[in-house]
Amino acid sequence: STCGVVFRRGDCDQSGALDFNDAIFHLKFLFLGENEDQVNLCRDACDSDDSGTDDFTDDINSLKFLFLGQGDIPSPGPLPDESHPCGTDLTEGDTTDCVEYSPTIACP
């Protein structure tokens, strides 16, 4: 299904930008059961590689992008600037969705 909510891919903690905290936030969800309510609001934001599922490969992808300059974070996102605008998920057939994404300032 496609996501009708505007969000920023990779921004799992919904702070408005992709950073190291997003990977930690998502790993805590996956392995410790923390942050479930917020992750479930917009799993698309946690799916940084746009594979259609949110799993630990997303965190590896985000960290490689941030610290090694490798890989890619598909649209929409990941950085809050004009070249990386927020948007909706146009990927069809994935199992992630987005009900609510909170940073309205980052994604007007």
Side-chain angles (χ1 to χ4, degrees):
S1 64
T2 60
C3 174
V5 174
V6 173
F7 72 100
R8 186 174 304 289
R9 190 171 303 284
D11 183 22
C12 191
D13 67 359
Q14 299 187 30
S15 65
L18 170 66
D19 56 29
F20 178 74
N21 294 327
D22 293 298
I24 300 303
F25 186 87
H26 191 237
L27 288 168
K28 285 182 176 182
F29 164 75
L30 291 173
F31 296 106
L32 301 176
E34 296 180 19
N35 311 315
E36 183 176 357
D37 290 341
Q38 192 166 350
V39 168
N40 284 331
L41 286 176
C42 192
R43 285 186 177 258
D44 271 322
C46 299
D47 183 15
S48 76
D49 61 7
D50 198 19
S51 66
T53 60
D54 64 317
D55 54 27
F56 75 94
T57 62
D58 296 302
D59 306 308
I60 293 168
N61 184 57
S62 294
L63 294 171
K64 285 173 57 176
F65 179 82
L66 287 168
F67 296 107
L68 300 176
Q70 298 176 351
D72 184 33
I73 308 292
S75 184
L79 307 171
D81 63 29
E82 293 174 9
S83 63
H84 299 93
C86 293
T88 59
D89 186 6
L90 302 176
T91 306
E92 294 188 30
D94 67 19
T95 59
T96 56
D97 63 354
C98 190
V99 177
E100 180 181 327
Y101 180 78
S102 60
T104 54
I105 294 171
C107 293

